[in-house]
Amino acid sequence: MIRHLLLIGLFVIFAATYANPAQVQDKNMSIGAAGGPAESSGSKAGAVNRLSLSELIHRVVAQNQQIQSQKAQWDIKQAEEKGTHAIFEPDFVTSAEYEDNSKKNTPQESLNRLGEDVYTERNWDYRVGLEGLVPTGGKVNLGYELRQLSNTTTKDLTEEEDEYQMYLGLSVRQPLLKNAGIETTKTAIRVAQKESQVSFQEYRREMMQTVSKPAAVYWHFYRTPENLILRQESVRIADKILVDNRQRHRTGKMAETEVLEAMAGVSSRKALSSEAQHEHREAANRLSKLLSVPHSQETMRFEATDKPVIEKLDFDVVAIMQKAFQLQPEYLAAHERLEQADVKLSFAKNQRWPELDLIGSYGFNSLHFSRGDSCDQIESGDFETWSVGVEFRLPIGGASKAVAN
């Protein structure tokens, strides 16, 4: 018997729990006034949801897709600006080349090569170096070259299979007219910096426009409960006056017209109270919309925790104008675009010049039948070499592309 009663009790509990799954699911998925899923505390129907202005702004900004898109654009511009600095990163260059050459000598070549009819050579050429751009626009190359030479003439004269020729040196090409100067070299960097600043000001503008709306909604919602309380108190006072006037009218101490006026006052104050209640609900609905909270009676129970602070304002027109120029994102973005245009114009003017480059090199040579002895010659610096010169290049067409730019 007891076992049967236990089974019946378990069945009743099971039926009461799972009879309406949709209702259970709706209860678990109910959303509180803060905009998130209902939790164990503060998620019951009719619970008051306390909300500060900073919390409202933070959540609105986090949910605003336009701000997130503008922030992503700014991040992209910052990454592009960082990438433009890569022009000063040196490049490591290396190469290896094998040459196998066999040809018949001319009579003159045969005389110079000890009467050989056929000249054969097999050479290896190895090169390694660092190349880079300096801020003045010059290109610098620090390189090392090793040539392993093997030919029939060397074998006939020295009975050696190979000889090793080395070079270690520095070469420089510095523009003097076109592409010369630090400002010209950094044109891409400066343009990217201006683009990043413009994108940042656009992000600030979007943020200011987005933040201003929830701030206005928040303070409007803060005012509506106070207004509603005043209207309800006005109705209470009007009802009390109406009761007193009716009592005086019954005792003959007041005319009926004054009772009618009191009734009209009650009606008008009730209308104002209803309007204030409607305004409060509308303000709560706007708050719910900003927080992406579903429209329901439960989600309209908000309480604004912040209070407005009254500060003394300084109406210094000059100071206000200066601050506006310093902080206004539209003005700052326009100023950055203007400076960017100046940078591009300066670069375009530089490109109209012909190319005149200063070229120079300095290094050390070595030649020996042993690789180690050839390296020792490089270290000793006995066979130095250097050169200096200029190179001029002028477009025949008059640089029409640069002029057009």
Side-chain angles (χ1 to χ4, degrees), residues 2-114:
I2 296 176
R3 182 183 301 175
H4 292 166
L5 291 176
L6 289 175
L7 291 175
I8 293 173
L10 290 175
F11 176 77
V12 171
I13 295 173
F14 178 83
T17 304
Y18 297 98
N20 193 356
Q23 183 178 359
V24 175
Q25 184 177 2
D26 291 341
K27 181 178 179 181
N28 292 333
M29 294 301 293
S30 63
I31 298 179
E39 299 178 356
S40 58
S41 60
S43 61
K44 296 181 180 181
V48 177
N49 299 275
R50 299 173 61 85
L51 187 66
S52 65
L53 178 60
S54 60
E55 180 184 358
L56 173 64
I57 292 176
H58 177 75
R59 294 182 59 182
V60 169
V61 169
Q63 296 173 3
N64 189 282
Q65 297 299 321
Q66 187 64 28
I67 288 183
Q68 303 305 322
S69 175
Q70 202 65 53
K71 179 63 167 58
Q73 291 294 328
W74 180 35
D75 292 338
I76 292 173
K77 294 300 181 182
Q78 286 182 306
E80 291 177 352
E81 177 193 350
K82 185 177 180 180
T84 57
H85 291 270
I87 61 174
F88 295 116
E89 295 179 358
D91 296 328
F92 175 76
V93 182
T94 182
S95 65
E97 182 181 355
Y98 175 73
E99 179 186 10
D100 193 330
N101 185 23
S102 179
K103 67 176 182 177
K104 189 174 179 61
N105 289 325
T106 64
Q108 182 65 39
E109 292 174 341
S110 179
L111 180 62
N112 295 334
R113 293 171 177 169
L114 305 179

Side-chain angles (χ1 to χ4, degrees), residues 167-240:
Y167 171 79
L168 176 65
L170 178 71
S171 62
V172 178
R173 175 183 288 268
Q174 174 60 51
L176 301 178
L177 293 177
K178 185 178 181 179
N179 297 323
I182 297 177
E183 299 299 330
T184 302
T185 306
K186 293 185 176 181
T187 295
I189 297 176
R190 296 170 64 195
V191 170
Q193 288 175 343
K194 299 304 177 182
E195 285 284 352
S196 177
Q197 289 297 321
V198 170
S199 182
F200 172 66
Q201 297 303 331
E202 291 176 349
Y203 168 65
R204 284 187 63 237
R205 180 187 62 186
E206 190 65 35
M207 178 71 74
M208 292 169 64
Q209 292 177 350
T210 303
V211 168
S212 62
K213 182 178 179 180
V217 171
Y218 184 87
W219 293 123
H220 177 67
F221 174 77
Y222 175 85
R223 182 185 63 83
T224 54
E226 302 293 334
N227 186 39
L228 178 59
I229 292 174
L230 291 176
R231 296 302 183 186
Q232 290 175 344
E233 180 65 17
S234 176
V235 172
R236 188 188 67 80
I237 294 174
D239 284 335
K240 184 177 179 181

Side-chain angles (χ1 to χ4, degrees), residues 347-364:
F347 178 77
K349 289 181 178 180
N350 176 268
Q351 296 302 296
R352 297 185 301 175
W353 288 100
E355 294 185 27
L356 178 62
D357 298 343
L358 176 65
I359 303 172
S361 65
Y362 180 81
F364 302 97

